[in-house]
């Protein structure tokens, strides 16, 4: 069953991605981690993954559509791309992949969707900083604009209600573009050279709020600055305290790095680790700061200033505007409910971790244990974290003063070994803390591990491996053998041996009892980085800098699998021994089936955005854990291709024991007792207060009830008064309405009479206008008829004039054709003269070429002497070159600066070149028509000469090759005849052997018959002896003895036996001796034939070997000839190029002749190569026939 992996959970955030935090719905957020985007459900703590593209160098920015259906991801690679995913589908299918088209784009810095999600804008990186507008579903670029030449662009966005308005902000840039007529036109004219805009947001369809690097908030309306707020004045006291603490200017601390708007106002970052909420005031377009939210200090952190100095990189508000989520530059995620912040209006509110605290630097160590579902990680951020891979929770976390380089968990999960920059420390894992238990004097321990039994642990000290006892903490063994640093160590399952690999290219197997080296494999060209051991401890797997996986057994490399120019950093083998996992320098994970196949076959997964540093498989083969330089921890579920987990041999039951310190336990018990006492006191106080409040509330209720009764009575009286007033007003309103209706009827009658009179007058005017129109139409028809007649006469006159002109042109064309025929005849005569001239020139060039070859041979002998002297100079020059390379690198930096200036100048040059090319094109078109016929004739003549020369050359080479082929065919015929003779002799021998086998079988049957007769005779003799023994009893009684002897004679003696016995006794030995002599003679003759056959085979084998040697000599001679021809060609090409340059200045005939000779030599060279390839094929065919003819080791020799 094939094994695959699926990502189960991930801990980490990629901080360098623009807009790296997005809300999909009320419970789900999207953020980048490694080379994937994660869909994280905040309530259910469940994750789904959107993988990045293959061979991408990392994500740059994210963007989500306004309908929250599509996600855009920009990535770097060979070409910068933007991938649009459909989030409504289950597998997040890719919809489209957008590029810069013909323009070279290295990266897309930021992106945004239009309000209707049909358009997408993407800001390309420097030096051009081009803005692209796509209709992304059709992959159509609608418009492009160059934004800036100086600084970076930080954000782009669409107007929330208008697709045609786009805002762009950056260093010295704040522009609003309007899309119209397939172009983007700038609509604002605000000077922003002195400001660096880090972010912006649309407040309304006309207002844009922007934040600057100096802590200013600027409101722009219709492209003009409306108002400006300085954050330093808003938050003066806090900035002064931070300035005194850190010694940095307040403007640097109070940068507005992120801003987001919502219905009541907006939220923006105000300095490091601080977010402020602003709400609208009663005055129009003015906002007031209402709340301040800060990032809390870490619980176990030694440097509290780091947490407070985190920069807010992204802000995001949930669709219901209930939750604010924040991401920082240290890769942390925080959240806060805005309802809680509203309760703490007077106080400063604090964020909470959205899920857990993550690593913010390279993860250097990784380990798991057997008895608990725990993962331990160490990082260069000076922290050690303990994770639970079943519940996906951060169990423990602590920061130290030194950097942690390695980590190892004890199999029980109660102890941890951490290698710091100053010492190696053994610590205990308590309920809520990690305490140091023992220290060892090993500095910067890069690799450490516990044995599977837990009684030993190994620690790397440079190129020495120290093995300590976990019970006595004594240094049991010091394993020395590596010449450079050891990069990886691994214990076998039974802890009897340890395998190590190092940067010196050595893989050693050590005996953990005696400390001796049991096996070794050294490859100096490779620096190993990872090693794994098989369950049976017989096979090792190592990876290194030579881009391959090596299978090592018995100190030899059995197999080697190439990784296609990708450096493998780590390797892990499953407990079942059927699957190998490899981590690469590009951050991908590869799954390889074991045993290794002949072809390179693996499954590759997009995992991390940096090289994978460590990789571990859990003890039950259910999970694979990987960590990387990007600070992310991936947990992969190991399954089969059907999606089911791997079968377990034994179900592991994890222990729930926890270590606690006795003092802490006592203190907690005291605290519990004190708290219980306080709870009892508070309960009694609450009871007293409740009884007092009940009496007070009862009094208040009685008072309120009396007041309510009095108010009800007064309201009823007022109600009756109001009813009377209502009736009076209603009667007055009815009278007024009746008067108004009467007036309205009178006005309607008057209006109808006046309007009828007006209509009659208008009708009379309409009839008069109709009469006028009828008269105008008649006049117009008469004019049309007259113009048509004049037009027909003009057309007839024009036709006659043009026919006369056509006849004149036909005459001119006939004359031109006659002239062209005469010119063609003259041109043919001119070609014949040129051919004669070129033949003479070719002959002269050949003579010169032969003289030059002789001179160059002499020069080569002189150059060999000079080579020795130049080699010495070469070594001196290499040293000078190294010094020069350092200067070149400095110059390259200056060149890069100048290249930016050159590119701007090249753009001006290209514009001028296009104008020049347009003019040159008109000139070239006229010249091409003149020289087309000349070129055609030249090419035809050249091809004729080349074909003739090739035919002669091929005939010269075919004749000797045909003779050689006939000789080899004759040899083949002789060999076939000898083979037929061998087959005949073998058939004869096989027939003789079959005859002898038949004779042997007949003799064996006869021998068996004789043996049966002997056995029967023995039985008769025994019976006869028994009867004789009975007769001997009657020796003293002769008559009875005679009777008994007569009975014996009748019983055992027969007449046939008496006759046959003497004949059989004489013939049997003679027959046996005769058969023996015959078989001995046959064996002697067979031995002679075998010795003769072996001599013949040896002679023929020696003959074949001699033929092979001759063929190899011929191959070497042909190779030398080919090498000499190539050298001659190179020298001739160099000389022909010089002759061309000289003769071009003199005349054009020399250039044509040189071109012809170069073509001839090139074609000769191609023909020689083809002939050599054919000869190689013939030699290989002959070798195969010889191998077929030679007797193999499996053929049976004739039997003795």
């Amino acid at each position: 069953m094939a094994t695959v992996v699926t990502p189960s959970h991930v801990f980490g955030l990629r901080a360098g991605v623009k807009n790296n935090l997005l809300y999909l719905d009320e419970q789900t957020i999207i953020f980048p981690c490694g080379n994937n985007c994660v869909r994280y459900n905040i309530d259910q703590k469940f994750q789904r993954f959107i993988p990045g593209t293959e061979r991408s160098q990392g994500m740059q920015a994210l963007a989500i559509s306004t309908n929250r259906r599509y996600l855009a991801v920009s990535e770097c690679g060979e070409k910068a791309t933007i991938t649009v995913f459909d989030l409504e589908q289950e597998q997040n299918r890719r919809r489209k992949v957008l590029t810069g088209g013909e323009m070279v784009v290295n990266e897309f810095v930021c992106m945004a969707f239009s309000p209707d999600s049909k358009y997408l804008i993407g800001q390309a990186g420097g030096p051009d900083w081009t803005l692209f507008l796509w209709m992304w579903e059709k992959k159509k670029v609608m418009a492009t604009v160059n934004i800036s030449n100086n600084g970076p662009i930080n954000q782009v966005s669409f107007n929330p209600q208008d697709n045609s308005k786009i805002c762009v902000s950056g260093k010295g840039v704040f522009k609003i573009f309007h899309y119209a007529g397939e172009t983007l036109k700038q609509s604002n004219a605000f000077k922003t050279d002195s400001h660096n805009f880090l972010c912006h947001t649309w407040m309304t369809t006309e207002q844009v709020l922007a934040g600057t690097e100096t802590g200013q908030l600027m409101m722009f309306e219709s492209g003009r600055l409306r108002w400006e707020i300085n954050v330093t004045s808003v938050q003066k006291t806090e900035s002064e305290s931070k300035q005194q603490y850190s010694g940095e200017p307040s403007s640097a601390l109070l940068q507005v790095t992120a801003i987001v708007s919502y219905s009541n106002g907006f939220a923006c970052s105000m300095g490091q680790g601080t977010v402020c909420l602003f709400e609208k005031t009663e005055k129009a377009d003015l906002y007031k700061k209402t709340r301040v939210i800060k990032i809390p200090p870490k619980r176990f952190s030694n440097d509290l200033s780091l947490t407070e100095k985190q920069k807010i990189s992204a802000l995001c508000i949930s669709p219901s505007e209930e939750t604010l989520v924040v991401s920082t530059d240290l890769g942390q995620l925080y959240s806060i409910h805005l309802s809680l912040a509203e309760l703490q209006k007077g106080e400063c509110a604090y964020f909470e971790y959205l899920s857990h605290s993550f690593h913010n630097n390279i993860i250097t160590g990784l380990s798991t244990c057997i008895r608990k579902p725990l993962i331990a990680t160490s990082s260069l951020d000076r922290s050690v974290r303990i994770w639970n891979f079943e519940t996906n929770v951060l169990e423990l976390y602590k920061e130290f003063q030194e950097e942690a380089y390695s980590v190892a968990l004890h199999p029980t999960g109660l102890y941890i070994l951490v290698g710091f920059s100053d010492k190696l420390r053994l610590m205990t894992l308590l309920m809520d803390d990690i305490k140091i238990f023992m220290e060892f004097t090993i500095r910067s321990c890069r690799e450490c591990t516990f044995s599977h039994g837990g009684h030993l642990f190994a620690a790397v000290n440079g190129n020495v491996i120290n093995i300590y006892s976990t019970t006595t903490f004594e240094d049991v063994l010091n394993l020395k053998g590596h010449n450079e640093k050891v990069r990886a160590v691994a214990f076998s399952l039974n802890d009897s041996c340890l395998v190590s690999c190092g940067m010196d290219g050595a893989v050693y197997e050590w005996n953990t009892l005696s400390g001796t080296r049991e096996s070794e494999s050294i490859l100096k060209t490779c620096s190993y980085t990872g090693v794994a051991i098989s369950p049976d401890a017989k096979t090792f797997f190592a990876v290194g800098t030579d881009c391959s996986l090596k299978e090592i057994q018995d100190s030899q490399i059995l197999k080697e699998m190439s990784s296609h120019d990708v450096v493998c950093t780590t390797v892990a083998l499953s407990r079942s021994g059927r699957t190998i996992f490899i981590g690469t320098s590009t951050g991908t994970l590869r799954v390889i089936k074991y045993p290794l196949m002949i072809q390179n076959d693996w499954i590759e997964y997009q995992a991390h955005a940096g090289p994978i540093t460590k990789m571990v498989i859990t003890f039950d083969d259910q999970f694979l854990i990987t960590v990387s330089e990007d600070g992310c921890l991936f947990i992969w579920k190991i399954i089969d291709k059907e999606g089911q987990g791997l079968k377990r041999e034994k179900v592991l039951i994890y222990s729930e024991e926890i270590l606690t310190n006795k003092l802490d336990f006592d203190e907690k018990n005291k605290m519990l007792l004190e708290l219980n006492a306080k709870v009892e006191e508070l309960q009694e106080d609450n009871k007293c207060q409740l009884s007092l409040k009940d009496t007070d509330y009862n009094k208040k209720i009685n008072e309120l009830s009396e007041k309510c009764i009095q108010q009800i009575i007064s309201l009823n009286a007022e109600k009756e008064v109001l009813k009377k007033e209502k009736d009076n007003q209603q009667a007055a309103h009815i009278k007024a309405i009746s008067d108004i209706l009467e007036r309205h009827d009178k006005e309607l009658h008057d209006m109808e009479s006046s309007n009828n009179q007006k209509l009659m007058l208008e009708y009379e005017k309409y009839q008069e206008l109709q009469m006028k129109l009828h008269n105008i139409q008649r006049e117009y028809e008469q004019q049309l008829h007259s113009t048509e007649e004049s037009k027909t006469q003009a057309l007839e006159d024009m036709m006659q004039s043009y026919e006369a002109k056509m006849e004149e042109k036909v005459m001119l064309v006939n004359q031109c054709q006659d002239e062209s025929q005469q010119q063609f005849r003259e041109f043919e005569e001119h070609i014949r003269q040129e051919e004669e001239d070129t033949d003479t020139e070719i002959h002269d060039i050949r003579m010169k070429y032969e003289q030059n070859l002789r001179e160059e041979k002499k020069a080569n002998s002189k150059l060999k002497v000079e080579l020795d002297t130049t080699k010495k100079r070469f070594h001196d020059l290499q040293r000078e070159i190294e010094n020069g390379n350092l200067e070149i690198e400095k110059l390259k930096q200056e060149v890069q600066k100048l290249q930016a200036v050159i590119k701007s100048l090249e753009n001006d040059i290209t514009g001028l070149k296009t104008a020049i090319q347009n003019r040159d094109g008109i000139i070239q078109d006229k010249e091409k028509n003149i020289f087309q016929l000349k070129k055609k004739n030249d090419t035809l003549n050249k091809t004729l000469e080349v074909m003739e020369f090739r035919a002669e050359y091929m005939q010269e080479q075919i004749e000797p090759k045909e003779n050689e082929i006939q000789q080899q065919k004759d040899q083949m015929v002789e060999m076939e005849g000898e083979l037929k003779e061998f087959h005949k002799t073998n058939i004869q021998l096989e027939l003789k052997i079959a005859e002898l086998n038949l004779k042997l079988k007949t003799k064996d049957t006869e021998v068996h018959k004789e043996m049966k007769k002997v056995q029967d005779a023995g039985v008769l003799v025994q019976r006869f002896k028994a009867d004789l023994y009975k007769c001997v009893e009657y020796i003293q009684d002769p008559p009875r003895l005679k009777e008994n002897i007569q009975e014996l004679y009748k019983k055992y003696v027969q007449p046939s036996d008496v006759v046959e016995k003497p004949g059989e006794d004489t013939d049997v030995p003679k027959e046996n001796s005769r058969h023996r002599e015959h078989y001995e003679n046959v064996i002697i003759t067979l031995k002679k034939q075998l010795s003769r056959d072996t001599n013949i085979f040896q002679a023929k084998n020696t003959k074949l070997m001699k033929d092979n040697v001759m063929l190899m000599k011929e191959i070497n001679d042909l190779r030398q000839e080919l090498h000499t021809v190539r050298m001659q060609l190179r020298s001739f090409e160099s000389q022909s190029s010089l002759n061309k340059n000289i003769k071009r200045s003199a005349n054009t005939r020399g250039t044509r002749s040189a071109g012809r000779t170069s073509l001839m030599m090139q074609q000769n060279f191609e023909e020689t190569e083809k002939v050599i390839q054919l000869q190689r094929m013939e030699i290989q065919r002959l070798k195969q026939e010889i191998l077929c003819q030679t007797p193999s080791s499996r053929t049976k020799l004739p039997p003795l």
Side-chain angles (χ1 to χ4, degrees), residues 841-878:
E841 286 175 359
I842 289 163
H843 182 70
D844 295 333
I845 288 163
R846 282 181 182 172
M847 296 298 290
K848 288 178 183 178
Y849 177 66
E850 289 175 356
Q851 290 178 1
N852 290 326
L853 280 172
R854 291 171 187 172
E855 291 174 357
E856 284 177 358
K857 284 179 181 177
K858 293 177 182 178
N860 285 328
S861 61
K862 292 178 182 178
L863 289 169
K864 286 179 181 177
V865 177
E866 292 176 359
L867 268 172
D868 298 327
T869 57
T870 52
K871 282 180 181 177
K872 294 177 182 178
R873 291 179 185 174
F874 179 72
H875 293 296
D876 298 329
L877 288 169
Q878 277 184 340

Side-chain angles (χ1 to χ4, degrees), residues 118 125 273 331 389 412 444 497 547 588 596 640 759 795 813 918 970:
K118 291 182 179 179
F389 60 80
T412 59
S444 301
C497 67
C547 305
T588 58
L596 299 176
D640 55 23
L759 281 168
L795 280 170
V813 168
N918 292 326
D970 295 333

Side-chain angles (χ1 to χ4, degrees), residues 73-88:
V73 181
S74 76
E75 293 175 295
C76 290
E78 294 178 358
K79 281 187 177 182
T81 59
I82 296 174
T83 308
V84 181
F85 296 91
D86 191 348
L87 299 175
E88 287 189 355

Side-chain angles (χ1 to χ4, degrees), residues 430-453:
L430 302 178
M431 187 187 301
D432 55 358
D433 196 7
I434 301 173
K435 286 195 175 181
I436 298 170
F437 180 67
M438 191 73 185
E439 292 184 346
F440 303 92
T441 57
I442 298 176
R443 290 187 176 182
S444 301
C445 179
R446 300 280 178 176
E447 191 69 29
C448 61
T449 182
F450 278 99
S451 63
H452 292 88

